[in-house]
Amino acid sequence: MQPVASPPPSHAPGSVGMWDAFEHVLMFISMYVFASSSSMLLHTFVDTWLPNASAISNMLYSSYSEFGSTLVRGYLAAIIVSFPIFAFLFIRITKHTKLNPAVRNLELRKILIYLTLTATFIILIWKLINVVYTLLSGNIGINFLMHFIITVSVSGLIFTYYFLQVKDDRQPHTMQ
């Protein structure tokens, strides 16, 4: 009697498949939503607590307050939905990558990382140009500085994390 051959597993341990790519896409999308919403929420608070001179003199400031509260609810809703998704996928992918270093070579992962590095670099360069331009015009205020700090912190944190990921990916890893 011959043994019946079982079908090969669709996703063998140690292999990288479409599901890994899909999880990466979802993680990056949720990170973009979370980072953008968090940043915009902080910008809204800065505009509310430290308004610039033109906002104080604007007669429509009271209608901005209503609009601002709508924005705050929208940003909070996006944070409440996107953060748990991002955190779950980030932890899951990080654990899976430690168990299966082949995930580091996933083409889509590399594309998403380099796309993120490019986008955050553009944001950082744009903000630095904005600072120099504003310095040259002599219009630096606390509101402007707080917006700068928020944007550079959020973009810089993401850029630094993924830059270190790329640097780590380029190092030869030994199997333990």
Side-chain angles (χ1 to χ4, degrees):
M1 189 156 177
Q2 291 185 340
V4 178
S6 62
S10 60
H11 189 67
S15 68
V16 179
M18 287 299 291
W19 186 256
D20 295 309
F22 181 64
E23 283 183 331
H24 275 83
V25 169
L26 295 181
M27 183 193 72
F28 274 86
I29 290 171
S30 62
M31 178 186 67
Y32 299 148
V33 171
F34 175 66
S36 299
S37 299
S38 299
S39 181
M40 294 307 294
L41 180 65
L42 292 171
H43 284 293
T44 302
F45 287 148
V46 166
D47 288 340
T48 302
W49 293 329
L50 301 167
N52 60 20
S54 63
I56 292 172
S57 64
N58 189 352
M59 297 305 278
L60 298 174
Y61 192 71
S62 61
S63 65
Y64 172 77
S65 176
E66 243 177 81
F67 181 66
S69 67
T70 301
L71 287 176
V72 167
R73 282 196 309 269
Y75 298 145
L76 283 173
I79 291 168
I80 289 168
V81 170
S82 65
F83 179 72
I85 295 168
F86 170 68
F88 171 76
L89 289 169
F90 181 82
I91 291 168
R92 181 178 166 88
I93 289 169
T94 302
K95 285 180 182 177
H96 182 61
T97 304
K98 285 182 180 175
L99 294 174
N100 184 6
V103 173
R104 290 182 171 278
N105 295 323
L106 185 65
E107 187 72 24
L108 186 59
R109 175 185 177 269
K110 292 178 181 183
I111 291 170
L112 291 168
I113 287 174
Y114 280 104
L115 179 67
T116 301
L117 284 171
T118 303
T120 54
F121 182 77
I122 290 169
I123 291 168
L124 291 168
I125 288 292
W126 172 76
K127 277 315 255 184
L128 289 172
I129 291 169
N130 194 356
V131 164
V132 171
Y133 179 83
T134 306
L135 273 171
L136 292 173
S137 69
N139 290 332
I140 295 277
I142 189 73
N143 179 286
F144 177 82
L145 289 175
M146 292 304 294
H147 282 290
F148 174 75
I149 290 168
I150 291 166
T151 303
V152 169
S153 296
V154 172
S155 296
L157 184 66
I158 293 169
F159 181 86
T160 302
Y161 178 79
Y162 284 107
F163 181 79
L164 293 173
Q165 284 284 303
V166 168
K167 189 176 174 183
D168 192 43
D169 287 350
R170 299 180 99 194
Q171 301 297 320
H173 291 294
T174 57
M175 295 295 231
Q176 294 180 1

